[in-house]
Amino acid sequence: MYQFNHRVVANGTPLDRRFDNVALAGRRAGYSPALFGYTDQSVDPRDATGPDDPRLSFYEGVLPGFDAVLDLPEHNQPWLDWLAELGYDTSVGSPELLKTEHERPEEHSIGAFLTDRAVEWIAAQDHPWFAHLSYLRPHPPYSAPGEWSHAYDPADVGEPIAPDAGGSSFYQLVLMVPRASASTDPGALARMRAQYFGMISHVDNQLGRLWDALERLGMWDDTLIVVTADHAEMLGDHGLRDKLGYWEQSYFIPCIVRDPSRREMHGTVVDRFTENVDVMPTICEAIGVPVPSQCDGYPLTPFLSGERPPWWRTAAHWEFDWRGYVLRQVPVDWPWDRTLERQHLATLRTETHAYVQFGNGEWLCFDLAADPTWRTATTDPAVVLPLAQQMLLWRAQHTDRLLADMLCEDGGIGRWPPMPTDWSSPAAG
């Protein structure tokens, strides 16, 4: 779902219990979805036992429907316990141990620990299984484990995109956030980039170990694989690090799907806009579950079959909300004050342009054909107006339709296709 529908705008935003999700879809297909890593979900406060329910102050919960075989919230205690068994001093805690992953061999990394536990679990399965492996890496702190910490020469990692001397008011605000600002020292920037590239290769290596295990266990030709990420990384571009804002460096992520039943398309590269909202519909179709009407994305199934649907999207979309920074500082007069809703942006990215709409009324439009670095703006109405209208259509055509598709007819609520008889099921959405 798009953010403007599910409204989980940040880590710590409660997930509305009425929404379906990929784990619940897996259960409807007969699986018991297993989690290795984390899903970072906050409980719907309406399900709390009271104001003292500890879940109300914890955002690293497990998405409903998953069985947490290996739960790794921020403290990563299972990993620390394992490192202690290996003889390491873990009293410094998880943050420091992640900063120093380059000092230990890869086989003792948090990524290798997760892979080991997942392979052990998969090998013990005697029935069809469904697993979500959530690797922390690549992610700050910038420290690649073992050999990957020196796999890339800082002199060879390229220079980041230089900061924009002008920039929007939002950009100037972001530059003031310590966590977001990258070092201005060229050497430090190069080392950060080299470590990040090393972390990517580390995860590639761990996935290779997983693929090898599936082949060894005779499961390679029966397993649907989807590889993607929740965000990307600024990595010094525009003077920033981490993930934030409207720049595509924060959103340009991998999407790899291997369907063992469609061998003829293996190795194919599809140069079309996809979005994370496409992942759940794709998995639903693969496991034989109807795609819930709440889904804003499209199944990637046509591409897996070699088709090029003419109706496919012609732009990518993303949103960013920073109300959390304001909520801690500015008193808000409910319910009429819309201060928080102004701390938001939406981006529409076509092949040639990017249009950014801010909640406070400001906007930006970048000519990516002329300058792919997102630093050349245009105010030409002939360019800007169609993009603004396209964004309006995107939002209009994807507003929440949970109840809108139903009508009170013939003495009750009727719809096509008919609603399921189990009204308590998330499938009813």
Side-chain angles (χ1 to χ4, degrees), residues 25 29 70 156 165 254 304 313 321 341 363 367-368 372 388 395 397 411 427:
L70 176 64
D156 298 330
L304 300 178
R313 67 172 68 89
D321 192 300
E341 278 59 50
W363 56 269
D367 186 341
L368 304 182
R395 292 187 70 97
Q397 294 172 2

Side-chain angles (χ1 to χ4, degrees), residues 121-308:
W121 180 84
I122 291 171
Q125 302 308 301
D126 58 2
H127 56 276
W129 50 269
F130 182 122
H132 174 45
L133 278 63
S134 187
Y135 286 92
L136 173 64
R137 303 302 202 180
H139 192 282
Y142 306 92
S143 178
E147 64 182 277
W148 301 113
S149 64
H150 50 81
Y152 296 90
D153 187 337
D156 298 330
V157 297
E159 295 183 2
I161 298 171
D164 185 353
S168 64
S169 59
F170 169 78
Y171 183 31
Q172 300 306 319
L173 172 66
V174 168
L175 288 174
M176 301 297 292
V177 179
R179 174 181 171 180
S181 297
S183 173
T184 56
D185 175 50
L189 276 175
R191 290 190 293 272
M192 177 181 73
R193 291 166 71 88
Q195 289 301 305
Y196 194 83
F197 295 163
M199 287 191 286
I200 292 175
S201 291
H202 156 61
V203 174
D204 284 347
N205 191 48
Q206 293 306 310
L207 292 177
R209 292 183 59 219
L210 182 63
W211 308 160
D212 289 343
L214 292 176
E215 286 192 309
R216 185 173 66 251
L217 295 168
M219 300 178 179
W220 180 245
D221 293 327
D222 299 309
T223 303
L224 175 78
I225 297 172
V226 179
V227 180
T228 189
D230 57 343
H231 60 80
E233 164 68 47
M234 294 301 295
L235 214 58
D237 286 337
H238 302 282
L240 302 169
R241 65 173 187 167
D242 218 324
K243 77 284 187 183
L244 75 170
Y246 50 80
W247 302 273
E248 73 178 358
Q249 285 83 5
S250 287
Y251 304 89
F252 194 42
I253 59 175
C255 178
I256 303 171
V257 182
R258 181 187 184 273
D259 186 338
S261 68
R262 294 176 169 86
R263 293 176 174 271
E264 69 280 2
M265 296 306 297
H266 289 182
T268 301
V269 176
V270 178
D271 188 17
R272 302 293 292 273
F273 286 115
T274 58
E275 300 174 339
N276 268 359
V277 291
D278 300 332
V279 173
M280 181 172 172
T282 302
I283 292 176
C284 285
E285 285 211 344
I287 63 178
V289 172
V291 177
S293 62
Q294 76 176 42
C295 288
D296 293 317
Y298 310 118
L300 298 172
T301 310
F303 297 111
L304 300 178
S305 302
E307 302 173 19
R308 296 293 186 269

Side-chain angles (χ1 to χ4, degrees), residues 1-5 275 277 296-298 313 315-320 344-349 355 357 387-400:
M1 300 176 70
Y2 288 127
Q3 186 184 98
F4 68 80
N5 278 329
E275 300 174 339
V277 291
D296 293 317
Y298 310 118
R313 67 172 68 89
H317 316 81
W318 55 81
E319 298 174 84
F320 181 69
H344 170 269
L345 65 83
T347 304
L348 181 145
R349 202 270 199 220
Y355 177 79
Q357 180 66 58
L387 292 170
Q389 291 174 323
Q390 189 173 342
M391 178 174 283
L392 284 171
L393 286 174
W394 166 63
R395 292 187 70 97
Q397 294 172 2
H398 288 91
T399 51
D400 183 6

Side-chain angles (χ1 to χ4, degrees), residues 7 45-46 76-77 95 102 121 147 173 183 240 339 368 420 423:
R7 304 307 297 141
R46 292 168 294 188
N76 295 307
Q77 195 60 48
H102 62 280
W121 180 84
E147 64 182 277
L173 172 66
S183 173
L240 302 169
T339 297
L368 304 182
W423 287 85

